[in-house]
Amino acid sequence: MHARTFTDSYIRNLKPRATPYKRSEAARKGEGRFMVRVMPTGIKEFFYRYRVNGQDKTVAVGRYGVRGGRTLAEIAVTYREKRDLQQRTGDVKGHLQSEKRRAEVDKRQGTFGQLLDAYVEALAAAGKPSAAQVRGL
């Protein structure tokens, strides 16, 4: 396979086939690959493929084209961000999943006042007379 760099004309000229197929950009060893998957419908989806501990991992970076898609330049920026993140953290998917979990935990955490308000509401819902006393705190 010869060295290839994605250009708009190259991507536009990738025609749909009966089954999906992939093409990748040339890259140095250990850097991961910028890939495009061409679907039978003509949709072109881009991915960043890299290896962690000998296992291939793939992260979607965007959909190309006129039907709600992005430009190749926009997709390439996202690809470079994912590649840089992989070089900093070692695993893009693992990092993104841990960030998502952290955001969910942060969202569930509240202030002491919010906790106290929820407690008063629970007491009032249960018909406890102490709800009025706690509400005054």
Side-chain angles (χ1 to χ4, degrees):
M1 185 181 287
H2 57 33
R4 171 184 308 123
T5 301
F6 290 157
T7 63
D8 276 314
S9 63
Y10 177 80
I11 299 301
R12 277 193 310 271
N13 288 321
L14 293 173
K15 302 300 179 200
R17 298 180 185 169
T19 59
Y21 67 98
K22 298 174 187 172
R23 294 290 178 260
S24 65
E25 208 174 54
R28 293 189 305 265
K29 185 173 175 120
E31 196 172 81
R33 295 277 188 265
F34 189 27
M35 295 178 25
V36 61
R37 178 174 58 194
V38 182
M39 304 300 286
T41 59
I43 292 172
K44 295 166 183 155
E45 300 173 319
F46 285 83
F47 299 89
Y48 172 51
R49 191 184 92 206
Y50 62 100
R51 293 178 74 82
V52 174
N53 299 326
Q55 293 184 340
D56 279 344
K57 298 206 176 191
T58 306
V59 177
V61 292
R63 186 175 276 187
Y64 178 84
V66 293
R67 294 175 285 192
R70 298 166 52 204
T71 66
L72 181 59
E74 293 168 337
I75 293 168
V77 167
T78 304
Y79 155 71
R80 285 190 293 275
E81 289 169 354
K82 302 290 187 208
R83 184 190 63 200
D84 293 345
L85 184 61
Q86 191 268 335
Q87 289 173 349
R88 284 192 318 270
T89 65
D91 184 3
V92 176
K93 269 191 174 177
H95 178 76
L96 294 175
Q97 287 170 349
S98 68
E99 287 293 313
K100 184 178 178 181
R101 282 192 302 271
R102 185 175 295 126
E104 289 171 357
V105 167
D106 288 347
K107 185 179 174 182
R108 286 189 302 224
Q109 290 179 342
T111 65
F112 180 72
Q114 291 168 331
L115 178 63
L116 189 57
D117 290 342
Y119 176 66
V120 170
E121 287 177 29
L123 288 175
K128 302 285 183 175
S130 60
Q133 293 172 338
V134 175
R135 188 172 281 129
L137 293 178

